[in-house]
Amino acid sequence: MVTEGSGPAQGTVPSGTTKPIQQEERKDAPPARAPPKNDQPTGPGNTTPATAPAPTTKPAPNKPVARDNQGPSGEKKLSNAELKAKAKAEKQARRAQQKAAQQAPPASAGAPHAPQGHAGNEAKGGKHKQKSDASQPAASANSKAQSTKQPIVMAPTAKNTDHMADVPECFSHLSMAKRISITQADKDVHPAVLALGQKMGAFALTNSTDRLEATLLAFKQVIDSYTTPQGSTLSRHFTSHVLNPQVEYLSACRPMCFSMGNAVRWLKMQVSKIDIDLPEADAKKYLTEAIDNFLRERIHVADVVIVELAADLISPQGDLVVTFMHDPLVERALLHARLEQQKNFRVMIIDDPLEPTGRALVPRLSEKGIRVSYVPHLAALGTLLQEASLVFFGAESMFSNGAMYACAGTCDVALFANDLGVPVIGLCSTINFTERVAIDSQTYNEIDPDHHTADSFRLLFDTTPDKYITAVVTELGKTAPASVPVIMRKLEEL
Amino acid sequence: MAPVMNSTSEVEKYLKSLKGKSVDASIDSLISLFKRRQIAGSEPCAMATAHILLQVVAKTKFRDVDHMLETVRQVGCKLVAAQPKELVVANIVRRVLGLIRDEASEQRNEGTDDDASPEEPFPPAADAPEPSEAPSTKYDGSTDYLHSGPRHVRLGALMSVGSFPASKTLLSLLEASPPGHPSLSPLAKDSGTSTPRLGHQNARISAIRAEIIDGIEEIKDEISQVDDQIASSADVQIRPLDYVLVYQPSHTVQKFLLRAATKRRFTVVIAVDPRLASSPREVPGEVPFASFRKKLQAAGVASMNIMNIGQAAHMPRISKVVLSARCVLANGGVVTDAGAGHVARAAKEKGCPVIVLSGVYELSPESSMEEDELVEWGGAMGHAGFSDGLFVKGAQLQGAVTELIQPELVDSYITNLGIHSRNHLTTIVADHYKAEDVDFQLWGDAER
């Protein structure tokens, strides 16, 4: 997080379109990061990537809150006020930029219609620079806009240009989330997406399902505020000119998780399916309804089914259920088993001392009458797991070879559980499945920007081979991990 | 590493405080230091134990050897009871007991040599201990215990690493005694009756006392030299371009790698216990293992700190895992700092060799202990404060301080005697402890 700038964000990006935007940033980075912006006084309570200690402290308290709450709906409310301010600033910026564009040579006027190519991006980059410069006087008129904007404006500093410089060479193929200042973002990025990208970059939204839901809700806003330009039609224009910049921006902020990739692919398909002759209003209505249905079917209902199936696995009396860190699905399953099914069991929460997300789970479970033991570290697992009867993991994703992609440390716990013959259950909705194959944890992974310095290094995820997983609970039922590809095949047919 | 550092300085403080104190008082203060875990970690514990036993031997008035054995044993029991999880304490007590038995038997042999004892094939002059000799010449046995030549030949081998008991060759043992070291045990039991010349008793005791003090000094030397001796086998184990994973490297591991770094180019991956380095940003000046890494860098060896708790994610990259032991059991199980267990497990998963570094003094004759007896639980303070009432009320916190690595997860053991396989450990144990003392802890516990 301290090291910010441009870097490869491959890995989880579905469309191969991230490269151009990064190149663009890299190109205009030095001029855009010109010092004048740094002179501005910083608004209160604004954390910026440039100041080293702030980012670490900020996400930490934020995370549990974000998770505790109803999730995206609560966050959306929170962000709306911000959004308005940002939208205002954005409008002013756009206006200023239009002015600048009028003065600029006619070549840039053609840019909006240019395809997503290198040249187009360069043109955009140039414009984008003008915009950020021009927006300053405009923004200063509106103090509210200024306060929200400033911190991000002053973000880039010279030392941050080597974003991945400290990464050991053997991990240089992995990607890392980074903070992209709002001014650096593409001009076409919708304010809702802009805010979402900042949240993801700051790890205020970490869970893959939460990220997916928030993304789709933001895309709904994008669709709402979209108007088809003259002489074009939604199904032809929307994806390449409106949706792609959003996706690029999001994946530049933090590599997209597999579920987001799946959802974006799905959304593009929906757009392409729209009849050219369909009126714009109807097309938009169709799309927003489709998104609502998707959210309901693939996330909300799926979660309910998974929670129930998982809770069924707990036996009525005397189980010791082990879980690693906090996962919303696991929490719901445990509470469901306790409250709805009146089961009597104990829970052991194993946690990561660096990101003690499981801590907040302790009071929530214990106040419902579940006896909880808390293991702050992966120590003496061989001894601790001897009594365990079940291990629940919330999976970030499932690879099509049956390997489970989950937060780092999962594999270690699974190994010990497997040694002791304790069933290992992964909870994962099918939207998180990916057709990719990972043979080890370093094929796909993400570097933790919070703990990334010149001196230390941390991976966010690891991959548990299928042989250590007893069953995967999905909304389609409990299956062996080896049948993940079958499920995916089935989903394609649906 | 931090707690180890603390307790080493605590040991120094303790040793300084001993001057002018009575033996009983210093035993008591050591017991309380053990109980409060202010002296923790194998090396400090071993040092402190050796030192206090030295004081006991030096300052107590003994009637005879039996009395000495009994006194040392009782003190040992108290120490073990104060810190039962730290098996080195019992190890050192066992070795001192063995030392006393040896000396007693030698003394007695000397006494009976006039009767031309048949079990002593060598000229008595070579075998008789001379108090003026350098101590190292008397406890030379452990490295060449199979040597069947006369004693004066072995005097040349000054690799004094232990208090290997056999004052005689194996051959003579086999010749003279029924199984179970009976040539030694009866000595301890009836040494009083077997020494008819009571007038010599006092002189004899003080001679034995001097010998034993020398012997304990030697154990202390051994403890302090372990790191260097282990490090000497480093370049055999570490190959160029290796990725060596270490978990919370102790002094021993650090020395080992630094020695290897003088000859090899490899990469050190340091897995940092996140509890000790929970947020590098908050204390920007304090990077874990900064000085170690600086030294590595000076030697041209790259290193990186890994902040993950699980190491399975990094294993595909790693070619070797080096861990240091707090204690090694005779069956090959290793007691380590908490957190090393899953490193070893993850390494096994990827077929990556696990090397355990340990001094011979950390090798315990115990093998059939329950896992629960060896794992020390504690250190909850770092994870929960009473300000967080719901948490404290709601959960039982289970944080381990040490943990047991199962024998099958370890590929080789490096001690100051060299590199061993798991099966060889029992032989080394047999060389270093008397059969009578192996059960030390058991009957120590039974008494209280």
Side-chain angles (χ1 to χ4, degrees), chain A residues 168 170 354 359 362 366 372-374 376 378-380 383 408 412 419 442 452-453 455-459 468, chain B residues 278 281 287 293 304-308 310-313 317 342 345 349 371-372 383 388 391 395-398 403:
Chain A
C170 56
L354 274 187
R359 262 188 88 99
V362 171
S366 63
V372 182
S373 57
Y374 179 78
L378 292 185
T383 315
D412 295 88
D419 286 353
Q442 294 180 4
H452 177 70
T453 60
D455 303 299
S456 64
F457 179 81
R458 183 172 184 264
L459 290 174
Y468 299 114
Chain B
S278 49
R281 297 283 175 76
V287 179
R293 292 184 61 186
M304 55 176 128
N305 275 2
I306 299 288
M307 306 300 289
N308 278 87
Q311 301 308 327
R317 181 69 57 185
H342 64 265
R345 181 63 190 86
E349 159 62 15
E371 228 171 281
D372 284 343
H383 303 291
D388 191 354
F391 179 83
Q396 179 200 3
L397 205 128
Q398 292 181 301
E403 71 174 300

Side-chain angles (χ1 to χ4, degrees), chain A residues 7 43 45 77 81 84 89 113 137 156 230 252 309 322 345 350 360-361 391 408 410 425 456 459 466 486:
Chain A
K77 267 179 204 163
K84 263 181 203 163
H113 295 286
Q230 206 69 45
L309 285 174
V322 179
F345 57 96
I350 301 172
L361 192 57
V391 182
T410 304
I425 313 290
S456 64
L459 290 174
D466 60 333
V486 181

